[in-house]
Amino acid sequence: MPRSTPGRRPATLASLAAELGVSRTTVSNAYNRPDQLSPELRKRVLDTARVLGYPGPDPVARSLRTRKAGAVGLLLTENLSYAFRDPGAIEFLEGLALACEDAGQGLHLVPASPEREDVASVHRAGVDGFVVYSVPEDDPHLAAVLERPLPTVIADQPRAASVDHVGIDDHAAMQRLARHVIELGHKHVGVLCMRLGRDRNDGFVSLPRQHSARYHVQRARLAGLRDAFEAAGVDWNTVPVVERFDHSLADGARAAGQLLDRDPQVTAILCTSDLLALGALDEAGRRGLRVPQDLTVTGFDGIAEALRTELTTVRQPVLDKGRTAGELLLSTKDPGRPRSVTLDTELITGKTSAGPRGYEEPWFGP
Amino acid sequence: MPRSTPGRRPATLASLAAELGVSRTTVSNAYNRPDQLSPELRKRVLDTARVLGYPGPDPVARSLRTRKAGAVGLLLTENLSYAFRDPGAIEFLEGLALACEDAGQGLHLVPASPEREDVASVHRAGVDGFVVYSVPEDDPHLAAVLERPLPTVIADQPRAASVDHVGIDDHAAMQRLARHVIELGHKHVGVLCMRLGRDRNDGFVSLPRQHSARYHVQRARLAGLRDAFEAAGVDWNTVPVVERFDHSLADGARAAGQLLDRDPQVTAILCTSDLLALGALDEAGRRGLRVPQDLTVTGFDGIAEALRTELTTVRQPVLDKGRTAGELLLSTKDPGRPRSVTLDTELITGKTSAGPRGYEEPWFGP
DNA sequence: AACGGCTTCTGAACCGTTACGGTCTGCTGC
DNA sequence: GCAGCAGACCGTAACGGTTCAGAAGCCGTT
């Protein structure tokens, strides 16, 4: 099979038409609208195409003419490769891929290294629209996306008034989780959270930094905690919050260590993600702290590993989020006011939360 | 910020040039070759662009002219969404994404549902090349990819003489694992394998089906087992092989159940993937079989979960495979003979393999 | 005064296709 | 014998850029 006719320039629709003595339109129709020409001629066109090594209409030229690329762009906050290491991102991708598949659309992952702020990749992407997943408010790639005259859907963060959005009520969900911990009797707690800005700050978080966080999701979750604990009479200023730039088990463990070193008397560690919480569990184990007897640990997200571990956490429908983002994007019919979808969450009380020592419910043993 | 100038047609490079009274070349240069025009003019161009809502050169038109799409196409054997549920596929994707990122290339996932054999998605993808990951020899999407005059790299399967390839020596690796099991003393074994064709066959596999398998990887792994066991005097005809179309833990468990129901006296189950093996472990547990005392179970791949479980398996560098595929593709300089990279594997003897009862090495206990 | 060299900008060709609005041919029906 | 009408095919004009070989203007040299 000739992958390309040697010696000659590659065949085009025009050259094929010339060879056949028909118009370009006819060749085009042979591929795109079989009913517009006689079966015999169509066969002749297709046969000759094979002989000449013409691979069918060029996708890029077609895209230019039809103004359709047949693909959805996806912008992620992190290195592309990182996305494949984060359980949440993977599930989101799965949902989005589902939606794209149903619509026969490709999924174009845009390389957006946070290091070299190379926005060109966004400008160069031949796509019909963008899904933006969880990026900081001041991400230059996001700005580049919004500059392009294409439909866009933002998942999770940031929340922009003029752009379609899908997410959850982070504040309410976290508040509810906090109330659960409060009801168990905890007064002295610590918090582990994900990055609050594009700058690395692996350590304790000041109040101003909490408020000025560039990641609305983290900001809302912290605010949910704050509101719940303040309502319960706990001074939020006294609650230690440890931030981690990278999102991994190991970082969760290290952050928990940092917290426990400085504040050994905390009876509960609330984490803004399951991965951090699972890391905290590891660290607790290393320190001989029993969970939940000695220490309560909670997460957020409801990733598979967390559910298996029976972590107390908030489950959010990440796959649905991805699919909804895709459906929203693909159903965009020109202007219309921006839409916003808020998905439901569910508090999961697992086996990593209990009352602090001295607060157990009475036990009527033998 | 005007996302689009209302009322008027969207601005183009030409309309911008007309507005400014300069040539299109100059506007193009303002974006692509800043050194080709005076800073003042360039600023004027960019400012006017902002005012007119011109979002910069259209990526598709640029691609048409430059013959570069800035993206790598990826064809997977399965539903796109499925890829995000298979640990191996995810790690491959991660490696590939790494390579793409380094080169500033996008990663275009091609929707290729196995159901509707819609090859159009392949024809429509505006990409500079394709990576094909583990598809059957007779996949129509693969055929469509090969018809396009683009560089292509196949990872794992199939092996095509004229196309770049990256993979491992499945036969040798599996043979080595089999020898390990043979050395432990096992004579009566069973096998769990992944799908051997595009048709579903959840059950025992006939010899002809083994030979005619459309997935070269599975074929090679089975052949590796066969060769090792025949060399050890085991008649391969008597070794039960159970196939599963879907690749999941649950399917591994069901397959193991099927095997143990028919052949309760097997002392070892060799699986052609870790996921199947982990499922088999589950099933063994359900049946009260202790591993490895009552039953030896082995896997293949070396996914994280398997290493954590200390499964006896073969580790293959899946991330490297993805990265190598990307690098191979992106370094393709026109013809040259097809390249082939074979990556190393490593036998990992975990805690799920031991001698069958009666074959333990002598134990000098108290 | 002619010349060469530099910077800055331009004109026109070209990338490969599809949309749109025809024309042409031959057949039906009266 | 001719209007009317499908069906089959075609010509032209985009689609929105990039690129290359100059042209124009300016400056310093010989």
Side-chain angles (χ1 to χ4, degrees):
Chain A
M1 190 185 310
R3 296 272 320 258
S4 68
T5 314
R8 224 182 316 181
R9 306 186 54 190
T12 70
L13 186 142
S15 70
L16 179 51
E19 179 81 19
L20 282 160
V22 302
S23 78
R24 306 210 292 282
T25 304
T26 300
V27 177
S28 176
N29 284 336
Y31 284 93
N32 303 316
R33 307 192 193 167
D35 57 313
Q36 292 291 305
L37 73 174
S38 64
E40 305 82 51
L41 179 53
R42 180 168 134 89
K43 180 171 185 327
R44 199 156 69 86
V45 171
L46 265 33
D47 288 349
T48 310
R50 201 170 309 278
V51 171
L52 261 56
Y54 176 65
D58 181 285
V60 175
R62 164 185 284 156
S63 285
L64 174 59
R65 184 66 247 232
T66 61
R67 317 269 7 160
K68 300 230 165 310
V72 169
L74 174 61
L75 179 67
L76 296 150
T77 187
E78 283 284 352
N79 292 321
L80 261 188
S81 53
Y82 168 89
F84 298 109
R85 223 171 296 152
D86 184 286
I90 291 174
E91 208 181 326
F92 180 86
L93 264 166
E94 185 184 337
L96 181 57
L98 230 38
C100 289
E101 218 153 36
D102 284 348
Q105 298 285 300
L107 186 51
H108 181 122
L109 310 185
V110 176
S113 1
E115 294 94 37
R116 51 171 168 142
E117 308 215 337
D118 184 10
V119 160
S121 54
V122 173
H123 288 137
R124 235 188 292 274
V127 298
D128 297 326
F130 278 100
V131 170
V132 177
Y133 179 64
S134 202
V135 306
E137 299 165 355
D138 52 356
D139 187 329
H141 296 97
L142 170 60
V145 164
L146 295 180
E147 267 166 21
R148 290 193 52 181
L150 295 175
T152 300
V153 175
I154 297 180
D156 277 355
Q157 49 192 355
R159 216 140 199 160
S162 59
V163 185
D164 287 350
H165 181 267
V166 48
I168 59 171
D169 187 339
D170 287 286
H171 184 281
M174 197 47 138
Q175 200 170 20
R176 181 145 158 52
L177 176 62
R179 288 209 193 99
H180 163 69
V181 172
I182 289 165
E183 280 160 15
L184 288 172
H186 294 275
K187 290 282 183 192
H188 203 144
V189 305
V191 175
L192 265 44
C193 71
M194 290 165 61
R195 71 172 68 160
L196 300 178
R198 295 171 59 215
D199 56 318
R200 180 180 290 269
N201 170 44
D202 288 336
F204 291 90
V205 183
S206 67
L207 236 43
R209 186 172 172 87
Q210 287 184 37
H211 290 128
S212 65
R214 290 308 201 171
Y215 286 88
H216 132 268
V217 164
Q218 293 297 308
R219 208 169 53 217
R221 292 185 190 170
L222 288 176
L225 291 174
R226 180 198 62 211
D227 291 351
F229 279 103
E230 297 247 301
V234 175
D235 181 5
W236 183 250
N237 292 307
T238 68
V239 175
V241 177
V242 179
E243 174 180 350
R244 270 299 177 282
F245 187 80
D246 292 323
H247 187 218
S248 72
L249 233 98
D251 277 284
R254 276 191 291 269
Q258 213 170 347
L259 178 65
L260 290 168
D261 282 345
R262 173 143 133 194
D263 236 331
Q265 66 273 49
V266 297
T267 61
I269 300 184
L270 297 105
C271 309
T272 63
S273 88
D274 284 344
L275 223 46
L276 293 177
L278 293 171
L281 286 181
D282 286 353
E283 180 63 22
R286 256 191 297 277
R287 294 182 177 227
L289 293 169
R290 293 164 305 164
V291 174
Q293 297 94 324
D294 303 330
L295 186 68
T296 281
V297 174
T298 69
F300 200 108
D301 285 342
I303 64 175
E305 179 69 15
L307 301 180
R308 215 175 304 136
T309 313
E310 302 203 63
L311 183 72
T312 291
T313 189
V314 170
R315 202 189 78 77
Q316 60 166 320
V318 182
L319 190 124
D320 274 349
K321 201 193 286 172
R323 188 181 8 218
T324 304
E327 287 168 355
L328 229 45
L329 184 69
L330 293 169
S331 70
T332 302
K333 292 284 167 263
D334 268 334
R337 69 184 68 259
R339 297 160 292 176
S340 179
V341 177
T342 302
L343 301 172
D344 288 333
T345 58
E346 179 190 3
L347 174 63
I348 298 190
T349 53
K351 296 188 170 163
T352 61
S353 57
R357 269 165 305 191
Y359 275 81
E360 288 96 349
E361 293 187 62
W363 166 250
F364 304 97
Chain B
M1 186 186 309
R3 296 271 323 257
S4 68
T5 314
R8 223 182 317 181
R9 306 187 55 189
T12 69
L13 185 140
S15 72
L16 179 53
E19 180 82 19
L20 283 160
V22 301
S23 76
R24 309 210 305 284
T25 303
T26 300
V27 177
S28 178
N29 283 336
Y31 284 94
N32 303 317
R33 306 191 195 169
D35 57 312
Q36 292 293 302
L37 73 175
S38 66
E40 305 82 51
L41 180 55
R42 179 168 135 92
K43 180 171 183 329
R44 200 156 68 85
V45 170
L46 265 32
D47 288 348
T48 311
R50 200 170 310 278
V51 171
L52 262 56
Y54 175 66
D58 181 284
V60 175
R62 165 185 285 156
S63 285
L64 175 60
R65 181 66 242 230
T66 60
R67 316 269 14 163
K68 300 224 167 313
V72 168
L74 175 61
L75 179 67
L76 295 149
T77 185
E78 283 285 351
N79 292 319
L80 263 188
S81 53
Y82 169 89
F84 299 109
R85 222 172 295 152
D86 184 286
I90 291 175
E91 206 180 328
F92 180 86
L93 263 166
E94 185 183 338
L96 180 56
L98 229 40
C100 288
E101 217 154 37
D102 284 348
Q105 298 285 300
L107 186 51
H108 180 124
L109 310 185
V110 176
S113 358
E115 294 95 36
R116 51 173 169 140
E117 308 216 337
D118 184 11
V119 160
S121 54
V122 173
H123 288 136
R124 235 190 291 277
V127 298
D128 297 327
F130 278 99
V131 170
V132 177
Y133 177 65
S134 202
V135 306
E137 298 166 355
D138 52 356
D139 187 330
H141 296 97
L142 170 61
V145 164
L146 294 180
E147 267 167 22
R148 290 192 51 179
L150 295 173
T152 300
V153 174
I154 297 179
D156 277 355
Q157 48 192 357
R159 218 141 199 159
S162 59
V163 185
D164 286 352
H165 180 267
V166 50
I168 59 172
D169 187 340
D170 288 285
H171 184 282
M174 197 47 138
Q175 198 169 22
R176 181 146 157 51
L177 176 63
R179 288 210 194 97
H180 163 70
V181 172
I182 289 165
E183 281 160 14
L184 288 171
H186 294 274
K187 290 283 184 191
H188 201 145
V189 305
V191 176
L192 266 42
C193 72
M194 290 166 62
R195 71 173 68 161
L196 299 179
R198 295 171 59 215
D199 57 319
R200 179 181 290 270
N201 170 44
D202 288 336
F204 291 89
V205 183
S206 67
L207 235 45
R209 186 172 172 87
Q210 287 184 38
H211 290 128
S212 65
R214 291 308 201 170
Y215 286 88
H216 132 268
V217 165
Q218 294 296 309
R219 208 171 50 218
R221 291 185 190 169
L222 288 176
L225 290 174
R226 181 198 61 211
D227 292 351
F229 279 103
E230 297 248 302
V234 176
D235 180 6
W236 183 249
N237 293 306
T238 69
V239 175
V241 178
V242 179
E243 173 180 351
R244 270 298 177 282
F245 187 80
D246 292 323
H247 187 218
S248 72
L249 232 98
D251 277 284
R254 276 191 290 270
Q258 214 170 348
L259 178 65
L260 290 168
D261 282 345
R262 174 144 131 193
D263 236 330
Q265 66 274 48
V266 297
T267 61
I269 300 184
L270 298 105
C271 309
T272 62
S273 88
D274 284 346
L275 224 45
L276 293 177
L278 292 171
L281 286 182
D282 286 352
E283 181 62 21
R286 255 192 296 279
R287 295 182 176 226
L289 294 169
R290 292 164 306 164
V291 174
Q293 297 94 324
D294 303 330
L295 186 69
T296 280
V297 174
T298 68
F300 199 108
D301 283 343
I303 64 175
E305 179 68 16
L307 301 181
R308 216 174 303 137
T309 313
E310 303 201 65
L311 183 71
T312 292
T313 188
V314 170
R315 204 188 77 76
Q316 60 166 321
V318 182
L319 191 124
D320 274 349
K321 201 193 287 172
R323 187 179 11 219
T324 304
E327 287 169 353
L328 229 44
L329 184 69
L330 293 168
S331 71
T332 302
K333 292 283 168 262
D334 268 334
R337 71 184 67 256
R339 297 160 293 176
S340 179
V341 177
T342 302
L343 302 171
D344 288 333
T345 59
E346 178 191 3
L347 175 63
I348 298 192
T349 54
K351 294 188 171 163
T352 63
S353 56
R357 270 164 302 190
Y359 275 83
E360 289 96 346
E361 292 186 65
W363 166 251
F364 305 97

